Amino acid sequence: MQEHSLRLGKVKQENRRTISFSQRTPFLYVIGVGTSVAVNIALAKQSVMNGIDPLKVLSIPLLGAAMLLLMYLGIKGDLKSLNVKYFRYCLFAGLLGVSLPNLASNLALQELPASTFSVLLTLSPLFTLLLSIPFQRIGLSLRRITGIGISFVAVMFVTISPDFRLQEEGGIILIAISVPLFLAMGNIYRSRCYPTLASPIALATGVLCVQSLIWMPISIVIELESFSTISFGSWLVLFSMSVNSAFSYFLTFRLQALTDGLGFSQVGNVVTVVGIGIGILFFSEGLGYQLMVALPLLFVGLAMTNKSARN
């Protein structure tokens, strides 16, 4: 009897550990994905500062990441997990969550500081919340509306300076704001259409392969600069983006299997914090009073919307 009780106690303890780990796992993935995205923003910023056109900063890392994940599947002997029946998912999830936001990012980073751009990504959870309302039975409460309003004010405070000129800077701000909008649309699409029986690594590989097949030919046809003019140092940066992208999307599709679109969108908060740190440390971007005021407002707004969503 005593031995049975000891065994039962061990089983319960192991179950508690399993549940505790499974509860922590999405959080760890959020940190990992958010950090890798912030690093890629910094690398993309460095690339466009070196004069590489935004299309190549998109297409070369996409192709490199796709090749790395294909090699990984080949080494595992799991290439058969790639299935053409997931083509539609790979096409639309890739366009909304990978290609279009990354292309818009590269265009915006030609003008915006990395830290300012990182703040804009906090709009991703808010856009995701707004776009997910038609699929939920709950509407916009006063608390949610207030939280969304505070967050938008904070973002505008940090992106629109006192000498803001609409004709010259309005276009780049709209391009930058389209990034979290595309990401939110991607979050909703993946949460609604995610093929639960598919391997996450196979989906990540499929998405990158399909997007590479779209954007590499476009990059070659619309050749704003020759590939041969890219310096060795710039190729190293693009290769680093490829490795980091492969790792990021490997984690992304594992995270998507564990949470919904709103939970996934919290990656944007990690990107903001890490991105601001990278901007200050590596691009000598100052922590101005706008950022110091905007950051607390952003997290207050996000806390209000997220708490209301959970309730």
Side-chain angles (χ1 to χ4, degrees):
M1 184 70 177
Q2 185 176 4
E3 184 180 353
H4 176 73
S5 299
L6 287 173
R7 287 180 181 175
L8 186 60
K10 288 181 180 179
V11 170
K12 288 182 177 180
Q13 187 175 8
E14 289 175 0
N15 286 341
R16 282 196 297 269
R17 288 176 181 173
T18 302
I19 292 171
S20 177
F21 177 75
S22 65
Q23 289 173 339
R24 291 197 302 268
T25 299
F27 173 76
L28 295 175
Y29 278 128
V30 167
I31 298 296
V33 174
T35 301
S36 60
V37 169
V39 170
N40 251 19
I41 288 173
L43 294 173
K45 174 71 175 176
Q46 185 63 45
S47 296
V48 296
M49 286 174 60
N50 290 341
I52 306 175
D53 76 80
L55 261 177
K56 286 185 173 58
V57 179
L58 168 70
S59 60
I60 294 174
L62 274 179
L63 180 61
M67 292 174 65
L68 288 171
L69 290 184
L70 279 172
M71 289 171 57
Y72 175 80
L73 286 179
I75 292 171
K76 287 185 63 180
D78 202 23
L79 285 171
K80 61 181 180 297
S81 62
L82 295 171
N83 197 316
V84 70
K85 70 180 181 180
Y86 301 131
F87 174 80
R88 181 178 177 179
Y89 176 85
C90 292
L91 174 63
F92 290 108
L95 284 174
L96 293 173
V98 179
S99 299
L100 294 178
N102 279 332
L103 180 58
S105 297
N106 298 338
L107 291 168
L109 287 168
Q110 291 179 306
E111 303 292 337
L112 291 179
S115 54
T116 301
F117 179 76
S118 298
V119 170
L120 283 170
L121 294 185
T122 54
L123 291 176
S124 176
L126 300 177
F127 285 150
T128 303
L129 176 63
L130 289 171
L131 292 176
S132 66
I133 287 173
F135 306 108
Q136 299 174 349
R137 294 183 178 180
I138 52 176
L140 280 177
S141 66
L142 180 60
R143 188 186 190 94
R144 272 187 178 181
I145 295 172
T146 304
I148 291 170
I150 290 173
S151 298
F152 271 108
V153 168
V155 168
M156 291 301 102
F157 186 74
V158 79
T159 53
I160 299 179
S161 59
D163 57 347
F164 175 76
R165 295 180 296 275
L166 180 62
Q167 289 184 341
E168 297 178 17
E169 300 177 27
I172 202 69
I173 295 295
L174 287 176
I175 291 173
I177 290 177
S178 75
V179 175
L181 181 58
F182 281 131
L183 291 173
M185 293 167 67
N187 292 337
I188 297 298
Y189 180 81
R190 286 195 303 270
S191 66
R192 301 286 297 177
C193 303
Y194 188 88
T196 54
L197 298 179
S199 161
I201 182 64
L203 287 178
T205 307
V207 163
L208 293 174
C209 287
V210 170
Q211 298 307 307
S212 298
L213 291 172
I214 294 172
W215 293 100
M216 183 54 75
I218 293 175
S219 179
I220 293 171
V221 171
I222 308 176
E223 191 172 42
L224 299 179
E225 64 171 332
S226 172
F227 285 90
S228 61
T229 62
I230 301 176
S231 66
F232 177 73
S234 295
W235 276 112
L236 285 179
V237 174
L238 292 172
F239 176 74
S240 299
M241 288 184 69
S242 298
V243 175
N244 192 52
S245 295
F247 173 73
S248 173
Y249 292 116
F250 178 83
L251 294 182
T252 293
F253 283 84
R254 285 183 174 272
L255 174 60
Q256 190 64 58
L258 297 172
T259 187
D260 58 9
L262 188 57
F264 186 92
S265 69
Q266 303 308 310
V267 166
N269 301 334
V270 179
V271 175
T272 296
V273 175
V274 178
I276 289 173
I278 290 174
I280 292 171
L281 291 175
F282 295 98
F283 294 102
S284 301
E285 298 171 1
L287 184 64
Y289 73 91
Q290 293 101 328
L291 276 176
M292 294 175 66
V293 172
L295 280 175
L297 286 175
L298 276 171
F299 289 113
V300 167
L302 287 168
M304 290 178 70
T305 54
N306 289 337
K307 184 174 181 180
S308 180
R310 287 193 296 268
N311 292 341

